[in-house]
């Protein structure tokens, strides 16, 4: 026995020495930790690449060595093998499907232990050619649906599909009429058309990492028999499976496509839950992005056209790969202690958990118990050290978690945690002196004061973990205190010196107070303490420390003096109510005092709003009382909102004023058949509080309409029609299902009313046709609304006229007179009102050149009852024909007899020349050469001169019958600007511009063309005939 014990002691000592040496070295040793693990790899057959690399790298000290397993069997990495190691990576040269397909695992080891990586598969991608057999032709009746089968060749992984029509690259687009299943590759045409004739080929593409390969099938010819124009209901042909399995986080795609005429529309719905926001619906496809368990359920696709509908249902079942919820971590444990490790994983189906130690399966044995995700050790030994892994797996995948267990055997050692050298303590207070040597197994602890062994007494306590606690301290407790620690590995001790100081005391404690929201307050707190120590103050609210930096300015210290710790509270809020504790603290002791602060404010939100007794215009509301926030509730307010408006509005109630002790009230004046939410607010003398949470949505009961439709009017339309229009009634006033309108009308002066029902709330007009309706006949019209509960009130009567007809009479006595070379005035006698068959909107003047047809005439329209028009834009010296017609909303009436007019010749183009001037006292005499009209120009009847003293003065217009004019000038005259042009029946000619200077008498042409007549131009005729002020802008 003694020899055995000696051997055990020696091995423990060696183990302790090794652990200690490792702890002291700069590089701590540790087992392998994977930094990179192999991933699933797809290698395309026929690839130009000559190798496959599976990655593996682990962090370890000492560095790890690597091995690899294939399908659970260790690979022999011989020099001439196709397998070789590069660092930890496995490189496979010239990969072959028959030999290399399988599952691979990396094994990393060092002296601390072994771990295995996750499993990674190596698979080979391929896509063979389509069958060389000819495909049968397809013949179908035009208008029917047809399906072409793809029958793709053997392949891995999956393919994407397109279809060719006649030739490459004429791909068939996916539209509502045609659909290509990405599950089977089949092509569906819901309703064939003549354009579908041709040859069809399935085009399949494989995407294998860096290689893309495509193949296409033999062509299949589609021919169409005679068209079948009949319509038929949908028939779903492309159906998703009854059960579709998917993993969380994946994209789930369901396909649904139907034949039918007209082409059916596809709609999707979830039958047992709300529609997900992750849906992406595009008719034949339903895609759910990043599917989760909430997407599990039964889905229905509905194909619908005007002839009927067809539906198909199936379930989506969501599974999940294993995912860790709780894993093991590196652990250092004392020899002889117990240890419990736990691994918990989620997944569907529920994962199973197994354990590995240094890469080998671990089962229950002796001191080790394995139970699912739990691993328990009893009385650890050094040999239990190593690398451990828990492995969670289900049919969808496997996850690994690794940790290192280090079992320690150490003699007590205080070098990391010695007893504090100087231990201050407060008189009459308490001091706690920890003793925490590093030791494995746990050490036995003794305490001494000087040479006196300490034992538990009324003032001395030694806890189970070796901590020394001294209470009611006095000066006599000063001295040296030593902790002795011992286990079977050895012993050690550590000493500290206890020094007794004066106790800290609160000399001015805070007082309780009541304030209102928004007010300010200071809580006082003063203290005395040992002068050799630093004093600090802290404050807490309901035992939670106050962080002044995060208080948003509500808290601050009121004084910088060391012995004063007053707390200033600014703009107090309800949340600042509670018990405030001031703590004065030194390194050896502390003292605390508390006070209660009550902050009064508006009431808190009422709770539990319930709606009952729902009527058509009223409901009964009940609620539970909320916090009054220290001020009695005076009254309640009730607000509501409808689904048509998100704004909350105060509602009328019974009683009108709801007292503060009430917990129920009736809400009145509601809109029938309307969706409502309600909330309750409480108020007191300090204001209105926060609202309650909204009630559940309710709908008031239906009632007959109470408001007549508005905007009654009408008119227009085709002959023999009466069109009656109104403004559609808003949802707020419909009051129930089955809403529509009842229109009543009669000829003005008759007795009997005709009635017509117009269904649907969105209707906005009614057309009454009858051959007996004369044009523009007045009708009396009124309207009311109805729904399933009855009829509403009738509107006021409005007068609406039946459709108008074009005017039957033509204007007469049309006179056209040429005004200038490009303008004429036209006048006429109006049509008689008694001959009108509608509202006269005005007249239309048509004019066309002699020799042109009337259909090419230009047109000018007048508005209202005016009987003349000014027409511009004519050609000079041209014969025109002119006619006038009346028009209304129905069109244009018959033309008046045409009259003729000839426009005058244009004015001379040449401007006056050789302009000169002479000064004589207070006048300037201006002369120019007369302008002689050419044969194709109108005669010259006179001249116009625009005179301006300077650029700021108003211009004056002078008229002259000869080529000379005298103009009065002021004594200080220095210069002026002048424009001269001819005038006559054809209008005004081109102006000549000169700049007159007093010291010059010859013409000076002015380049500045800015001399334009301005408002308030003065017009002067020679020989003192007349001076007129034109109060308008005259354009020469």
């Amino acid at each position: 026995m003694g020899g055995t014990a000696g051997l055990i002691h020696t091995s423990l000592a060696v183990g302790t020495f090794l652990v200690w040496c490792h702890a002291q070295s700069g590089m701590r040793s540790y087992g392998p930790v994977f930094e990179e693990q192999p991933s699933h790899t797809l290698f395309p057959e026929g690839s130009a690449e000559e190798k496959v690399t599976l990655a593996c790298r682990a962090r370890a000290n000492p560095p790890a060595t690597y091995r690899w397993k294939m399908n659970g069997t260790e690979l022999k990495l011989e020099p001439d093998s196709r397998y070789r190691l590069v660092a930890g990576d496995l490189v496979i040269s010239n990969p072959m499907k028959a030999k290399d397909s399988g599952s691979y695992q990396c094994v990393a080891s060092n002296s601390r232990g072994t771990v295995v990586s996750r499993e990674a598969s190596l698979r080979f991608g391929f896509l063979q050619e389509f069958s060389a057999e000819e495909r049968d032709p397809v013949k179908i009746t035009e208008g029917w649906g047809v399906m072409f089968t793809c029958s793709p060749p053997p392949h891995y992984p999956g393919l994407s599909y397109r279809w060719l029509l006649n030739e490459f690259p004429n791909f068939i687009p996916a539209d509502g009429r045609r659909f290509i299943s990405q599950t089977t590759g089949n092509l569906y045409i819901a309703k064939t058309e003549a354009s579908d004739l041709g040859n069809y080929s399935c085009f399949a593409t494989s995407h294998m990492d860096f290689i893309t390969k495509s193949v296409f099938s033999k062509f299949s010819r589609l021919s169409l028999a005679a068209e079948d124009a009949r319509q038929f209901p949908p028939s779903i042909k492309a159906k998703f499976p009854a059960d579709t399995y998917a993993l969380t986080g994946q994209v789930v795609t369901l396909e649904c496509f139907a034949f039918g005429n007209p082409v059916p529309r596809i709609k999707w719905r979830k039958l047992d839950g709300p529609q997900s926001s992750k849906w992406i619906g595009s008719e034949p496809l339903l895609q759910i992005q990043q599917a989760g368990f909430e997407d599990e359920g039964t889905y229905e696709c509905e194909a619908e056209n005007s002839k009927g509908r067809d539906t198909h249902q199936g379930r989506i079942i969501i599974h999940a790969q294993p995912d860790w919820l709780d894993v093991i971590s590196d652990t250092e444990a004392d020899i002889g202690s117990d240890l419990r490790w736990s691994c918990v994983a989620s997944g569907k189906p529920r994962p199973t958990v197994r354990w590995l130690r240094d890469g080998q399966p671990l089962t229950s044995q002796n001191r080790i118990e394995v139970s699912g995700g739990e691993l328990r050790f009893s009385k650890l030994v050094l040999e239990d050290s190593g690398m451990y892994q828990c492995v969670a797996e289900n049919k969808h995948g496997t996850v690994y978690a690794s940790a290192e267990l280090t079992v320690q055997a150490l003699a007590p050692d205080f070098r990391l945690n010695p007893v504090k050298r100087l231990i201050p303590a407060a008189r009459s207070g308490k001091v706690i002196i920890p003793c925490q040597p590093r030791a494995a197994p746990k050490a036995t602890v003794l305490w001494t004061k000087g040479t006196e062994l300490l034992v538990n007494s009324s003032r001395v306590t030694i806890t189970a973990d070796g901590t020394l606690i001294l209470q009611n301290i006095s000066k006599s407790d000063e001295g040296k205190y030593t902790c002795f620690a011992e286990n079977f590995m050895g012993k050690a001790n550590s000493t500290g010196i206890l020094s007794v100081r004066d106790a800290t005391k609160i000399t001015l404690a805070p007082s309780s107070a009541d304030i209102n929201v928004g007010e300010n307050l200071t809580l006082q707190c003063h203290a005395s303490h040992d002068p050799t120590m630093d004093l600090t103050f802290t404050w807490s609210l309901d035992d939670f420390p106050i962080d002044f930096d995060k208080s948003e300015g509500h808290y601050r210290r009121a004084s910088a003096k060391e012995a004063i710790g007053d707390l200033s509270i600014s703009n107090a809020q309800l949340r600042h109510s509670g018990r405030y504790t001031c703590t004065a603290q030194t390194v050896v002791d502390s003292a605390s005092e508390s006070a209660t602060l009550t902050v009064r404010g508006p009431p808190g939100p009422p709770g539990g709003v319930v709606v009952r007794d729902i009527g058509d215009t009223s409901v009964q509301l009940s609620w539970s009382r909320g916090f009054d926030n220290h001020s009695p509730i005076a009254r309640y307010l009730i607000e509501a909102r409808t689904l048509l408006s998100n704004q909350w509005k105060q509602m009328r109630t019974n009683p009108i004023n709801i007292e503060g002790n009430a917990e129920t009230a009736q809400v009145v004046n509601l809109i029938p058949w309307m969706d409502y939410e309600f909330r309750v607010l409480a108020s007191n003398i300090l204001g209105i509080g926060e609202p309650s949470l909204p009630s559940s949505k309710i709908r008031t009961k239906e009632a007959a309409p109470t408001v007549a439709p508005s905007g009654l009017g009408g008119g227009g339309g085709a002959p023999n029609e009466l069109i009656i229009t109104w403004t559609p009634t808003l949802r707020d006033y419909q009051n129930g299902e089955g809403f529509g309108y009842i229109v009543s009308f009669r000829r003005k002066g008759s007795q009997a009313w005709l009635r017509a029902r117009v269904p649907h709330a969105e209707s906005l007009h009614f057309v009454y046709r009858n051959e007996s309706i004369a044009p523009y006949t007045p009708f009396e019209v009124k309207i009311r609304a109805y729904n399933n509960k009855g009829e509403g009130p009738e509107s006021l009567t409005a007068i609406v006229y039946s459709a108008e007809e074009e005017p039957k009479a033509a204007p007469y006595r049309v006179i056209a007179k040429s005004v200038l070379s490009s303008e004429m005035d036209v006048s006429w006698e109006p049509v008689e009102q008694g001959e009108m068959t509608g509202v006269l909107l005005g007249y239309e003047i048509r004019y066309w050149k002699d020799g042109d047809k009337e259909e090419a005439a230009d047109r000018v329209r007048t508005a209202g009852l005016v009987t003349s028009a000014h027409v511009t834009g004519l050609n000079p010296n041209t014969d025109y024909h002119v006619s006038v017609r009346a028009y209304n909303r129905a069109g244009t009436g018959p033309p008046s007899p045409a009259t003729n007019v000839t426009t005058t010749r244009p004015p001379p183009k040449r401007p006056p020349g050789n302009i000169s001037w002479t000064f004589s006292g207070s006048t300037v005499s201006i002369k120019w050469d007369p302008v002689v009209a050419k044969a194709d120009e109108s005669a010259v009847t006179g001249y116009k001169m625009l005179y301006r003293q300077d650029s700021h003065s108003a211009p004056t217009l002078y008229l002259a019958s000869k080529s000379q004019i005298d103009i009065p000038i002021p004594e200080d005259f220095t210069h002026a600007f002048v424009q001269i042009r001819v005038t006559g029946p054809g209008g005004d000619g081109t102006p000549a511009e000169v700049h007159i200077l007093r010291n010059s008498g010859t013409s000076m042409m002015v380049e500045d063309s800015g001399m334009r007549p301005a408002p308030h131009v003065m017009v002067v005729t020679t020989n003192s005939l007349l001076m007129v002020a034109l109060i308008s802008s005259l354009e020469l």
Side-chain angles (χ1 to χ4, degrees):
M1 287 292 290
T4 304
L7 286 173
I8 293 173
H9 187 273
T10 302
S11 66
L12 289 176
V14 171
T16 305
F17 175 75
L18 289 174
V19 171
W20 175 247
C21 287
H22 284 312
Q24 294 304 306
S25 66
M27 294 292 289
R28 182 183 67 86
S29 63
Y30 54 89
V33 178
F34 282 115
E35 293 185 324
E36 188 174 11
Q37 300 188 56
S39 301
H40 297 306
T41 301
L42 178 67
F43 186 80
E45 287 187 2
S47 170
E49 290 287 322
E50 297 179 350
K51 63 182 179 181
V52 170
T53 300
L54 298 174
C56 183
R57 186 174 75 255
R59 182 179 73 253
N61 187 27
T65 59
Y66 299 92
R67 295 176 285 126
W68 282 83
K69 293 182 178 181
M70 176 186 173
N71 298 330
T73 302
E74 187 167 337
L75 287 173
K76 296 181 178 180
L77 305 177
E78 298 174 350
D80 57 348
S81 169
R82 289 185 303 108
Y83 302 102
R84 59 191 176 91
L85 272 180
V86 177
D89 298 348
L90 175 65
V91 180
I92 306 174
S93 301
N94 302 315
M96 293 181 285
K97 179 179 178 181
K99 294 184 177 181
D100 300 324
S101 289
S103 177
Y104 290 80
Q105 258 185 313
C106 174
V107 182
S109 304
N110 72 356
S111 58
R112 303 283 292 187
T114 299
V115 289
V116 296
S117 74
R118 66 189 177 204
E119 295 185 23
S121 64
L122 172 60
R123 300 192 67 172
F124 288 76
F126 65 95
L127 172 59
Q128 296 181 9
E129 296 290 333
F130 275 94
S131 169
E133 293 183 8
E134 295 294 332
R135 297 205 168 197
D136 294 333
V138 177
K139 186 172 183 179
I140 197 75
T141 300
E142 183 178 346
W144 293 8
V146 67
M147 179 191 77
F148 287 93
T149 303
C150 180
S151 300
H155 59 275
Y156 182 84
L159 305 175
S160 62
Y161 299 96
R162 290 183 289 175
W163 278 77
L164 294 170
L165 178 58
N166 294 327
E167 61 183 358
F168 181 87
N170 186 23
F171 290 107
I172 295 174
D175 51 27
R177 192 174 64 87
R178 293 171 291 191
F179 172 66
I180 299 170
S181 169
Q182 295 303 309
T183 302
T184 64
N186 296 341
L187 167 65
Y188 297 84
I189 302 177
K191 169 182 169 287
T192 52
E193 298 175 353
S195 61
D196 294 326
L197 282 171
N199 298 305
Y200 290 78
S201 171
C202 181
F203 189 88
T205 301
S206 175
H207 301 277
M208 295 175 281
D209 290 344
F210 49 87
I211 290 181
T212 298
K213 180 180 179 182
S214 297
V215 294
F216 58 89
S217 70
K218 290 284 188 177
F219 281 90
S220 177
R221 179 160 186 78
L222 173 65
S223 56
L224 299 177
E227 180 181 5
D228 182 356
R230 293 177 300 171
Q231 296 185 340
F232 53 93
S235 175
I236 296 177
K237 298 298 182 183
K239 300 179 179 180
F240 54 95
D243 290 327
T244 299
Y245 290 87
L247 295 178
T248 55
Q250 288 185 338
V251 177
V252 183
T253 302
L254 302 183
E255 296 182 338
C256 181
F257 191 75
F259 293 172
N261 184 10
V263 175
R265 294 292 304 273
I266 304 295
K267 297 179 182 176
W268 294 89
R269 65 176 62 90
K270 187 179 183 185
L271 298 182
D272 47 7
Q275 174 176 324
S276 170
S277 61
K278 297 176 289 185
W279 282 22
I280 299 178
S282 58
E283 293 258 336
L285 297 179
L286 170 66
Q287 281 193 339
I288 302 176
Q289 303 290 319
Q290 295 184 325
F293 289 113
E294 69 277 5
D295 297 309
E296 201 169 60
T298 301
Y299 290 77
E300 179 183 81
C301 110
E302 177 187 79
E304 183 178 20
N305 65 11
S306 58
K307 300 302 289 182
R309 59 191 290 268
D310 190 16
T311 61
H312 174 70
Q313 296 178 3
R315 291 190 308 157
I316 291 179
I317 301 169
I318 303 297
H319 281 186
Q321 294 177 330
D323 189 25
W324 288 120
L325 300 176
D326 186 22
V327 294
I328 54 177
S329 58
D330 292 346
T331 301
E332 293 180 347
D334 293 349
I335 190 171
S337 64
D338 296 338
L339 175 65
R340 173 183 170 275
W341 262 347
S342 175
C343 281
V344 181
S346 63
K348 185 180 178 183
R350 183 191 298 272
T352 59
V353 179
R354 55 188 175 88
W355 291 82
L356 304 176
R357 179 168 67 185
D358 290 330
Q360 299 300 317
L362 182 64
T363 57
S364 296
Q365 51 184 290
N366 299 330
R367 298 170 300 98
I368 300 174
E369 180 184 351
V370 177
S371 177
E374 286 201 352
L375 174 61
R376 295 187 181 91
F377 296 88
S378 299
K379 298 182 180 179
L380 286 166
V381 298
L382 290 176
E383 289 77 10
D384 292 327
S385 297
M387 298 301 299
Y388 289 79
Q389 291 176 284
C390 50
V391 185
E393 53 194 346
N394 64 13
K395 64 181 181 180
H396 300 298
T398 306
V399 289
Y400 290 75
S402 304
E404 183 176 0
L405 172 61
T406 303
V407 180
Q408 302 180 109
L410 300 170
D413 184 356
F414 280 99
R415 279 177 287 186
L416 293 180
N417 289 303
V419 174
K420 193 175 180 181
R421 182 70 59 189
L422 178 63
I423 309 167
R427 194 187 307 271
S428 301
K430 178 174 76 172
V431 67
I432 298 173
I433 310 174
C435 179
Q436 297 174 333
R438 187 180 183 193
K442 182 179 176 181
T444 301
V445 172
L446 297 174
W447 280 91
T448 63
K449 178 191 176 189
T451 58
E452 176 189 357
L453 179 66
L454 296 177
V455 296
N456 286 336
S457 66
S458 59
R459 292 197 315 113
V460 178
T461 301
I462 301 174
T463 65
D465 66 354
T467 298
L468 173 64
I469 303 174
L470 303 177
Q471 302 189 70
N472 195 21
I473 291 174
S474 64
K475 196 70 174 176
S476 62
D477 290 320
E478 289 187 331
K480 291 184 178 180
Y481 288 80
T482 302
C483 173
F484 293 89
E486 181 178 9
N487 65 11
F488 71 88
M489 296 291 296
K491 60 180 67 176
N493 63 75
S494 181
T495 301
I497 298 173
L498 177 67
S499 173
V500 178
R501 312 291 175 88
D502 290 339
T504 303
K505 296 179 180 178
I506 300 292
T507 57
L508 178 59
S511 300
S512 297
D514 287 6
I515 61 174
N516 293 333
V517 167
E519 294 182 346
N520 303 328
L521 175 72
T522 297
L523 295 176
Q524 293 181 308
C525 185
H526 299 184
S528 63
H529 66 293
D530 190 297
T532 64
M533 313 286 285
D534 291 329
L535 178 67
T536 58
F537 287 91
T538 59
W539 285 86
S540 64
L541 172 58
D542 294 331
D543 298 327
F544 288 96
I546 294 174
D547 187 335
F548 289 85
D549 294 332
K550 297 180 179 178
S551 70
E552 299 176 346
H554 292 291
Y555 296 120
R556 63 179 180 85
R557 299 189 187 278
S559 174
K561 294 182 179 179
E562 184 184 27
I564 299 177
D566 295 354
L567 174 67
S568 177
I569 305 174
S570 302
N571 188 23
Q573 301 298 306
L574 293 171
R575 64 179 182 275
H576 297 142
S577 293
R579 184 170 62 89
Y580 284 81
T581 300
C582 171
T583 301
Q585 189 169 10
T586 65
V587 294
V588 298
D589 71 339
S590 63
S592 300
E593 291 290 346
S594 299
T596 300
L597 174 62
T598 301
V599 180
R600 305 183 188 278
V609 179
V610 176
V611 187
R612 53 186 175 83
D613 299 341
I614 300 171
D616 55 359
T617 60
S618 66
V619 297
Q620 192 73 26
L621 235 59
S622 61
W623 59 90
S624 60
R625 183 183 180 88
F627 293 111
D628 63 8
N629 289 330
H630 315 295
S631 179
I633 296 174
R635 60 191 290 257
Y636 287 98
L637 303 173
I638 295 177
E639 293 182 338
R641 68 180 176 187
T642 69
L643 295 186
L644 302 178
S645 169
N646 271 334
Q647 288 194 335
W648 291 94
K649 296 181 180 179
Q650 186 173 340
M651 306 304 291
R652 295 189 63 178
T653 58
N654 182 20
I656 296 175
N657 293 316
I658 307 172
E659 298 296 332
N661 57 359
E663 293 187 5
T664 184
Q666 186 183 44
V667 185
V668 297
N669 287 11
L670 299 177
I671 299 171
W673 194 57
M674 182 57 64
D675 297 320
Y676 281 99
E677 288 179 299
F678 299 92
R679 69 182 186 183
V680 182
L681 302 90
S683 66
N684 58 21
I685 59 172
L686 297 174
I688 299 175
E690 293 291 318
S692 68
L693 292 174
S695 69
S696 57
K697 294 183 179 67
I698 64 98
R699 176 172 288 187
T700 51
K701 292 184 177 179
E702 298 182 48
T706 55
V707 177
S710 61
L712 186 60
N720 309 119
E721 283 186 352
L722 171 66
I723 296 181
I724 302 170
T725 61
W726 59 89
T727 303
T729 299
L730 296 177
R731 170 68 176 78
D732 308 46
Y733 304 107
Q734 293 174 17
N735 289 9
E737 296 273 12
F739 188 86
Y741 306 91
I742 298 174
V743 180
S744 302
F745 55 95
R746 66 183 178 186
R747 282 187 179 86
K748 188 174 182 181
S750 62
Q751 296 299 317
W753 289 89
L754 298 176
R755 283 166 55 103
R757 294 174 77 89
V758 183
H760 309 306
E762 60 273 15
S763 299
L764 46 72
H765 75 280
F766 169 72
V767 180
Y768 173 63
R769 297 181 180 87
N770 194 303
E771 296 295 332
S772 66
I773 299 178
Y776 203 55
T777 301
F779 280 79
E780 293 178 301
V781 177
K782 51 189 178 181
I783 189 172
R784 67 175 63 187
Y786 72 89
N787 61 20
N788 290 344
K789 289 295 183 179
E791 298 179 3
E794 208 162 43
S795 70
L796 297 175
T797 301
I799 301 298
V800 176
Y801 287 83
S802 63
E804 303 177 27
E805 284 188 352
E806 299 91 342
K808 300 300 184 185
Y812 59 98
R813 293 182 186 169
V814 176
I815 300 172
K817 182 181 179 181
S818 176
V819 180
L820 295 173
S821 59
S822 61
E823 301 176 12
M824 67 176 172
D825 287 331
V826 182
S827 61
W828 59 89
E829 293 294 331
V831 297
E832 296 293 335
Q833 287 296 324
E835 300 174 345
M836 293 300 293
T837 54
V839 178
L840 177 66
L841 297 181
Y843 294 90
E844 182 178 276
I845 298 94
R846 298 189 184 184
Y847 54 97
W848 62 98
K849 297 177 185 177
D850 187 33
D852 290 349
K853 294 184 179 180
E854 183 177 355
E855 289 76 10
D858 290 314
R859 306 179 185 196
V860 172
R861 280 194 166 185
T862 67
L865 302 179
V866 299
T867 57
S868 63
H870 184 71
V871 181
T872 61
L874 304 178
N875 291 337
N877 196 24
T878 303
D879 294 331
Y880 282 91
H881 302 284
V882 182
S883 69
V884 182
R885 304 167 184 246
Y887 71 92
N888 60 19
R889 281 182 290 187
T892 306
S896 68
T899 187
N900 301 323
V901 65
T902 302
T903 53
T904 61
R905 287 172 291 180
K909 295 181 181 177
R910 185 170 63 86
N914 199 21
I915 302 173
S916 62
W917 56 87
T918 57
F919 291 92
S920 177
S922 59
T923 64
V924 58
S925 179
I926 304 173
K927 297 179 182 180
W928 56 90
D929 290 343
V931 177
V932 178
K934 296 180 180 179
D936 59 349
E937 295 177 335
S938 62
V940 176
T941 60
Y943 298 89
K944 290 182 179 179
M945 186 180 76
L946 190 69
Y947 173 89
R948 188 171 61 180
Q949 185 75 31
D950 53 48
S951 59
H952 302 292
S953 61
T956 304
L957 180 64
Y958 292 90
L959 304 179
S961 59
K962 297 180 180 180
S963 58
Q964 184 268 334
I965 191 170
D966 293 332
I967 299 174
I969 58 173
E971 291 183 3
D972 58 349
F973 175 91
T974 58
H975 68 96
F977 296 95
V978 172
Q979 277 187 356
I980 305 172
R981 69 181 76 201
V982 301
T983 185
D988 295 337
T990 305
E993 300 185 8
V994 295
H995 187 190
I996 298 175
L997 301 175
R998 178 179 279 280
N999 58 0
S1000 172
T1002 59
S1003 68
M1004 179 185 293
M1005 300 305 296
V1006 179
E1007 295 181 0
D1008 180 9
S1009 60
M1011 274 191 61
R1012 295 294 182 196
H1016 313 293
V1017 176
M1018 191 68 70
V1019 181
V1020 180
T1021 62
T1022 56
N1023 302 321
S1024 302
L1025 292 177
L1026 182 65
M1027 181 179 289
V1028 182
L1030 300 179
I1031 314 301
S1032 66
S1033 177
L1034 179 61
E1035 185 68 40
L1036 289 179

